Each structure stands twice: as C-alpha cells, then as structure tokens.
C-alpha cells in the first residue's frame, strides 16, 4: 500500500492530534496509510525521522520544530510543511494559518476589553523560529498606543507539561510584581495552567485577568470558566496539506502557501 509520513512535535497536544486524525481520515479514503512519528520536541529526533520516513514513504507532512531545513531529505523529495515554516533554500509548500493576524486580532480583542498589560505565552519550539504570533502581538499593542515589552513574552522550555510550565511562568511573573490583566496562551491546555497559576495567588479569570487561548479544543469548554479561543480549523489544514502533498507527489503545480482562516470563539474567560 502507499504510505505517507507525518511528523508532529508531540502527539500529546489536542491540535496536533487533531491534525493526525484528520490527515489519516483524508488519506485512508484514498487507500493510503499514514505513518506518524512524535519528535518529542527534539530537533535531532525530527531530523532522524525525516531521513527514515524519506526511505519508507512517498512524501512527508511535517509540523516542524526546526529553524532551518538543510540536507535532511533529497532536494526533490515530496515534503509539505504544516503549521510551522522553517527556513529552506528550496521552495517547500506550506499549509497553515496566518498566525500573525490571528494573534493581532486576539490581542486587539483583549485591549477592547480594557486590558493594557497582556502576557503572551507563544509556546515551545525545538529550535528557534521567527514566531509570527509575536509579530501580531506587537503590532496590536503599538497600533493601540501601548508599549511593547519583550519581558511580557514568556516561552516554555518544553521540559514538563504545558499546564505546569505555564502555571509556573504565570506565578513567577506575578511574584516579580508585574501587572497582568490579560493572558494569551499557545493552547487550551496551557490556558488551564494559566488559570491554575493565577489561582495560587488569589487572582481569577475573568474578574482580575482575561484569558484567550489557541486551538478551540474540547479543553476550552471543559475549563471553568470556559475559555475564549482561536479556532484554527485543524480539519481544513489537514485536508489542504494532504491535497498539496499528493499533488507534489504527482508532480503537479501547487501554491507556495495555503492559508486557512481562523475564528475567535468568545466565551466566559473574556466576559
């Protein structure tokens, strides 16, 4: 049977697991097996899997943590970047959201709600990539007359769970005496951690701090209060990525970039 490989930073993430599920569903309908590897947020592991999958599969869907793709696969090997976009000397198709615009809209929404000191927690990436979410965050602040302070951008180290690391970062920020009236997290699970960290110092969402997350997974509804979240449309991303990769395999012309729109789902955490 035909085989396609897919690499994700961690399968223990609702957005990435949804991408896997939707890609498998799309490809199985065409008689194609999806082989999945979890790179465990390790750049070296991802490079190893790229080389291994290149010998086993017709093409690869890569949610990459690399800063740059070099010679891990042959120059003409069918590869599509999904969600993240490492540098590369060759032109590799990419499918994902306009994360800069999504973050700009999320930040502007918090500002409309009266927030002025907004903490950004953009998530963990194995190797440094220019993060478009930071660009959108800064743009929204400056367009609304607020000062961009890099110390309000807190990156996780990827050592423990997103919930626990986020809780600790929020807690340490408050203990340092910094004012916080808004938080944007990289995922709904990280939002759980933000609520937990705030609760440890007697602060509550949305009374003291308003909260927005990314992914709009079931976690956003399970939380108390329910979390306002960016819906990234994982189904559409996966379908488009599969479509583009199969076209590349068939040596057809494909767009350099395929953008999938997002939407802000408003809930109690920004009430």
């Amino acid at each position: 049977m035909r085989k396609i490989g897919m690499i994700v930073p961690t399968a223990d993430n609702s957005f990435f697991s949804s991408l896997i599920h939707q890609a498998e569903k799309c490809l199985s309908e065409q008689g194609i097996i999806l082989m999945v590897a979890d790179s465990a947020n390790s750049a070296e592991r991802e490079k190893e899997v790229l080389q291994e999958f290149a010998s086993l599969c017709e093409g690869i869907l890569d949610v990459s943590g690399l800063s740059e793709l070099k010679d891990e696969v042959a120059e003409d090997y069918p590869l599509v970047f999904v969600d993240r976009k490492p540098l590369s000397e060759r032109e590799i198709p990419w499918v994902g959201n306009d994360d800069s615009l999504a973050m700009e809209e999320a930040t502007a929404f918090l500002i409309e709600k009266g927030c002025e000191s907004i903490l950004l927690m953009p998530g963990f990436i194995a190797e440094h990539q220019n993060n478009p979410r930071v660009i959108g965050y800064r743009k929204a602040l400056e367009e609304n007359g607020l000062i961009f302070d890099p110390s309000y951008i807190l990156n996780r180290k990827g050592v423990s769970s997103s919930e626990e690391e986020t809780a600790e970062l929020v807690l340490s920020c408050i203990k340092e005496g910094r004012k916080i009236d808004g938080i944007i997290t990289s995922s709904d699970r990280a939002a759980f951690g933000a609520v937990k960290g705030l609760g440890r110092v007697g602060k509550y969402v949305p009374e003291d701090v308003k909260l927005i997350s990314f992914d709009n997974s079931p976690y956003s509804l399970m939380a108390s209060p329910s979390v306002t979240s960016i819906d990234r449309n994982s189904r559409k991303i996966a379908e488009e990525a599969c479509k583009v990769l199969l076209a590349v395999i068939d040596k057809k012309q494909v767009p350099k970039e395929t953008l999938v729109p997002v939407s802000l789902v408003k809930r109690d955490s920004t009430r």
Side-chain angles (χ1 to χ4, degrees):
M1 289 186 72
R2 300 178 66 187
K3 299 181 183 69
I4 295 293
M6 184 171 189
I7 307 171
V8 296
T10 170
D12 185 26
N13 173 290
S14 57
F15 177 68
F16 298 142
S17 61
S18 180
L19 286 177
I20 293 168
H21 172 72
Q22 297 296 341
E24 195 280 332
K25 182 179 179 182
C26 179
L27 293 170
S28 66
E29 291 173 353
Q30 302 179 63
I32 301 172
I33 292 175
L34 181 68
M35 299 180 67
V36 178
D38 181 331
S39 68
N41 281 313
S42 165
E44 290 308 312
R45 165 74 173 158
E46 182 181 340
K47 292 173 184 177
E48 291 171 0
V49 175
L50 278 167
Q51 293 171 349
E52 183 68 20
F53 273 0
S55 67
L56 298 172
C57 306
E58 291 183 52
I60 298 173
L61 301 169
D62 188 12
V63 184
S64 184
L66 302 179
S67 59
E68 182 177 8
L69 182 77
K70 296 180 180 177
D71 56 357
E72 286 78 16
V73 296
E75 189 170 336
D76 60 348
Y77 183 80
L79 175 67
V80 172
F81 287 135
V82 182
D83 183 40
R84 301 171 179 179
K85 195 186 308 181
L87 297 174
S88 176
E89 290 185 358
R90 58 181 278 206
E91 190 172 287
I92 299 173
W94 168 83
V95 179
N97 308 123
D98 185 339
D99 267 4
S100 176
L101 180 60
M103 182 58 74
E104 183 182 347
E105 292 177 351
T107 307
F109 182 70
L110 287 183
I111 294 170
E112 288 174 14
K113 290 288 184 175
C115 299
E116 296 183 346
S117 302
I118 301 169
L119 196 63
L120 173 61
M121 315 191 78
F124 175 80
I125 299 177
E127 290 185 345
H128 174 73
Q129 293 180 17
N130 289 326
N131 196 322
R133 294 185 182 181
V134 175
I135 296 170
Y137 166 77
R138 179 171 187 167
K139 183 178 179 183
L141 290 175
E142 293 178 345
E143 287 187 349
N144 285 277
L146 298 176
I147 296 173
F148 170 71
D149 183 349
S151 70
Y152 273 73
I153 301 172
L154 301 183
N155 289 290
R156 295 191 296 105
K157 295 181 179 180
V159 176
S160 57
S161 70
S162 58
E163 297 99 315
E164 195 55 41
E165 284 194 357
T166 301
E168 290 300 324
L169 285 169
V170 169
L171 190 60
S172 64
C173 190
I174 292 172
K175 285 183 175 179
E176 289 170 6
R178 281 191 261 176
K179 178 187 175 184
I180 301 172
D181 55 17
I183 298 176
I184 304 176
T185 64
S186 61
S187 69
D188 295 323
R189 283 181 60 181
F192 271 90
V195 172
K196 183 178 179 180
L198 291 168
R200 288 176 182 173
V201 290
K203 291 186 178 293
Y204 299 96
V205 175
E207 293 84 356
D208 302 307
V209 179
K210 300 193 185 302
L211 175 65
I212 294 179
S213 64
F214 270 67
D215 297 348
N216 193 36
S217 70
Y219 289 107
S220 61
L221 286 170
M222 291 163 57
S224 180
S226 59
V227 179
T228 294
S229 189
I230 298 284
D231 189 328
R232 306 181 62 197
N233 201 342
S234 58
R235 179 186 62 80
K236 186 67 173 177
I237 291 175
E239 289 176 353
E240 289 296 325
C242 291
K243 178 181 175 182
V244 170
L245 181 58
L246 293 176
V248 172
I249 291 170
D250 291 339
K251 301 188 183 305
K252 297 178 181 178
Q253 287 290 110
V254 298
K256 182 179 178 181
E257 295 185 349
T258 303
L259 279 172
V260 175
V262 303
S263 58
L264 181 66
V265 182
K266 301 170 186 176
R267 297 194 177 95
D268 291 343
S269 67
T270 53
R271 191 177 64 243

